[in-house]
Amino acid sequence: AKRSELPRWVIDRLGAALKDRDHGVRYNAALALGEAAHRREVPSTTIAALGEALKDSDADIRRIAAKSISKAARNQGISTAVLVALGDALEDGDAKVRRNAAKAIAKAAGK
């Protein structure tokens, strides 16, 4: 069965949920945004929110945010500010964050 696309208002609320104090909410919001971005273009404000999530104190959130940006880069351009955040993430203490950031940059460069 084909999955339906998320409505814009849901994507906007998921972007806002990236700032929730609960780890699970932030993680699942970033994950859902990555899936949405994989299927279609998402608002630039959503990609910017994922870029901000690269600064999260939790490595799990930073990993999935970088991966979600990578998925978005398949369908749309990535702003300079988000590219800078990805560049900073290349120096993250977590290897998976660095790996996902490098993949996202590579996909953005392929556009």
Side-chain angles (χ1 to χ4, degrees):
K2 183 180 175 190
R3 295 181 189 179
S4 61
E5 290 186 358
L6 295 175
R8 169 72 189 257
W9 66 268
V10 172
I11 290 173
D12 290 343
R13 288 188 183 173
L14 287 168
L18 291 170
K19 295 183 184 243
D20 195 276
R21 67 178 162 247
D22 183 77
H23 167 272
V25 171
R26 294 191 318 274
Y27 182 87
N28 285 300
L31 188 65
L33 288 170
E35 290 304 310
H38 181 69
R39 290 179 174 72
R40 67 172 187 155
E41 188 169 321
V42 295
S44 60
T45 53
T46 301
I47 305 303
L50 286 166
E52 285 297 313
L54 292 171
K55 300 173 190 170
D56 197 281
S57 61
D58 190 293
D60 287 341
I61 307 302
R62 296 191 309 272
R63 282 182 211 127
I64 199 67
K67 191 171 188 174
S68 293
I69 294 168
S70 178
K71 289 180 177 185
R74 291 178 170 175
N75 296 323
Q76 65 194 87
I78 302 298
S79 72
T80 301
V82 174
L83 286 172
V84 168
L86 287 166
D88 291 345
L90 292 174
E91 297 179 7
D92 196 279
D94 185 277
K96 289 182 181 177
V97 173
R98 295 191 307 272
R99 187 177 312 124
N100 289 347
K103 285 180 185 178
I105 292 169
K107 286 187 181 167
K111 281 274 157 210

